[in-house]
Amino acid sequence: MPKKKEVHPERTRIGDRIARWTIPREDILDLLIRTQQHLTAKEIYAALNPLNPDMGLTTIYRTLELLDTSGLIRKIYTGDGQARFEYKRADHADHHHHLICSVCGKILNYRDFEKEELDLVRKTEEILARKHGFLIRDHNIEFLGLCGDCRSGGKRSTIPGR
Amino acid sequence: MPKKKEVHPERTRIGDRIARWTIPREDILDLLIRTQQHLTAKEIYAALNPLNPDMGLTTIYRTLELLDTSGLIRKIYTGDGQARFEYKRADHADHHHHLICSVCGKILNYRDFEKEELDLVRKTEEILARKHGFLIRDHNIEFLGLCGDCRSGGKRSTIPGR
DNA sequence: CCTTGTAATGATATCCATTATCATTATAAA
DNA sequence: TTTATAATGATAATGGATATCATTACAAGG
């Protein structure tokens, strides 16, 4: 049976921004939903190419921008010169932040202290709105440091700027 | 009297990484100390060029990487495709985070809730160290949203992806 | 003061992620 | 089916950042 997928329910979340729900869009969103990693455009391309060799890199970039603008995915800058993407669940079920190793670039998700953090964030958002008229839509928290491997290894990074 | 500056005291903080403290290094660090903004390499180039037309862009990039690696300045990615830099005071006196407008790209510093935030961060760092063997060296917190102008204006951004 | 090894610089070329262009294809509604 | 046009993909172009390498200039030892 050839590829024959149901349209993902999330598709409705971008209904007003989009006219046609296509195979590339379905495949890219699908991949991001399934993976735990933070993928770059090229990684997505590499992952989907075997399944759909006709999909070009341009489409990946365009689709990622569409999904990001629509709030379905999040664009992350970890400082290695390329943007990464992760799926953003509507229900905050996977609310987490990042732990980035400055040496090897590894990214860990962390999920502890959600409640306290959310209290703090909410409070901050209130103040910011009052003080600067800023409407908060999202926040990022990231910790930079050395992962276990790089701490013990003590080796130098080959990544420039790290 | 020609330019004749005292070497900035911070110079000692990178003593072991550096052999010579030069005019470009002094000027770049000096500029970052004085400004409240978050400058790109090109903005720094533009600002210093009138004073020192011989300074090339390459030196700016190299010096910024040196200062960043040494922990004197912080590299920030706001998502507009170019890295920005800010001076990082040793005494945490200016501890702050960023408020980024997704439409116009404006960046505000915010400094409220430092104590609670630091408590939370410290606690988190402890857990992360225990759980993942991660040694935290820095953290970033940023809020993304719409600034007052862009809220009321309701105009669309020309910045791709925003 | 000179000399000298070499760190630092700057012009240039290059790299690489991302965007723009535009002809072609394929979707969804009539 | 037909059709208007949204979406795609090959290609070229853009632009921030880095590599290369000959040149300059700093700092230590004479």
Side-chain angles (χ1 to χ4, degrees):
Chain A
M1 189 199 295
K3 174 183 319 205
K4 182 85 181 303
K5 260 184 267 191
E6 282 303 307
V7 168
H8 195 279
E10 290 286 25
R11 180 255 175 279
T12 59
R13 278 175 64 191
I14 48 177
D16 56 340
R17 293 174 181 271
I18 206 181
R20 298 171 189 171
W21 189 247
T22 61
I23 307 261
R25 288 169 184 189
E26 177 73 22
D27 285 352
I28 291 169
L29 179 59
D30 195 59
L31 175 61
L32 285 173
I33 288 177
R34 289 182 202 298
T35 188
Q36 295 296 332
Q37 298 172 275
H38 311 81
L39 301 176
T40 66
K42 294 221 166 148
E43 286 166 353
I44 292 171
Y45 179 79
L48 296 182
N49 192 57
L51 306 175
N52 186 354
D54 292 334
M55 196 187 311
L57 193 52
T58 308
T59 298
I60 311 260
Y61 278 109
R62 262 189 306 230
T63 303
L64 289 171
E65 192 199 317
L66 175 74
L67 296 175
D68 180 40
T69 306
S70 307
L72 266 176
I73 66 176
R74 192 195 315 272
K75 196 172 184 178
I76 310 167
Y77 304 90
T78 59
D80 64 350
Q82 50 198 327
R84 295 177 175 275
F85 298 86
E86 69 175 6
Y87 180 57
K88 203 161 97 185
R89 287 171 213 282
D91 56 5
H92 283 218
D94 69 337
H95 184 76
H96 69 275
H97 295 299
H98 300 125
L99 206 62
I100 303 172
C101 177
S102 319
V103 174
C104 67
K106 193 187 303 163
I107 307 175
L108 291 176
N109 296 338
Y110 98 91
R111 307 188 28 139
D112 299 309
F113 299 114
E114 279 185 43
K115 186 178 174 327
E116 287 155 82
E117 183 209 306
L118 284 178
D119 285 349
L120 178 68
V121 165
R122 211 166 288 131
K123 228 163 126 186
T124 306
E125 287 178 358
E126 247 173 64
I127 297 280
L128 292 176
R130 199 158 48 229
K131 209 164 168 184
H132 303 291
F134 221 95
L135 173 68
I136 310 294
R137 287 202 301 201
D138 198 6
H139 67 267
N140 286 323
I141 301 183
E142 61 185 31
F143 292 92
L144 310 170
L146 270 65
C147 71
D149 294 345
C150 294
R151 269 175 94 172
S152 47
K155 38 190 175 232
R156 274 296 189 148
S157 167
T158 55
I159 304 171
R162 292 195 170 177
Chain B
M1 187 198 297
K3 173 183 318 207
K4 181 84 182 302
K5 262 184 264 189
E6 282 304 307
V7 167
H8 194 278
E10 290 286 22
R11 179 255 176 276
T12 58
R13 278 174 65 191
I14 46 177
D16 57 339
R17 292 174 181 271
I18 208 182
R20 298 171 190 171
W21 189 246
T22 62
I23 308 262
R25 289 169 184 188
E26 177 73 21
D27 284 353
I28 292 170
L29 179 59
D30 195 59
L31 175 61
L32 285 173
I33 287 176
R34 288 182 203 298
T35 188
Q36 294 296 331
Q37 298 171 273
H38 310 81
L39 302 176
T40 66
K42 294 221 165 146
E43 285 167 353
I44 293 171
Y45 179 79
L48 296 181
N49 193 58
L51 306 176
N52 185 354
D54 292 335
M55 196 187 314
L57 193 52
T58 309
T59 299
I60 312 259
Y61 278 109
R62 261 189 306 232
T63 303
L64 289 171
E65 192 200 317
L66 175 74
L67 295 175
D68 179 39
T69 306
S70 307
L72 264 176
I73 66 177
R74 192 195 314 271
K75 197 172 184 178
I76 310 167
Y77 304 90
T78 60
D80 65 349
Q82 49 197 327
R84 294 177 177 275
F85 298 86
E86 70 177 5
Y87 179 57
K88 202 161 99 187
R89 287 172 213 283
D91 56 5
H92 283 218
D94 70 338
H95 183 76
H96 69 276
H97 294 299
H98 300 126
L99 206 61
I100 304 171
C101 177
S102 318
V103 173
C104 67
K106 193 187 304 165
I107 306 175
L108 292 175
N109 295 337
Y110 98 91
R111 307 189 26 139
D112 299 309
F113 299 115
E114 277 185 44
K115 187 180 173 323
E116 287 155 83
E117 183 208 307
L118 284 178
D119 286 349
L120 178 67
V121 164
R122 212 166 287 129
K123 230 164 126 186
T124 306
E125 287 179 357
E126 247 173 65
I127 296 281
L128 292 176
R130 198 158 49 230
K131 210 164 166 184
H132 304 290
F134 221 96
L135 174 68
I136 310 294
R137 289 201 300 201
D138 199 4
H139 68 267
N140 287 322
I141 300 183
E142 60 185 30
F143 291 92
L144 310 170
L146 269 65
C147 72
D149 293 346
C150 293
R151 270 175 93 171
S152 48
K155 38 189 176 231
R156 276 297 190 147
S157 167
T158 55
I159 304 171
R162 293 194 170 178

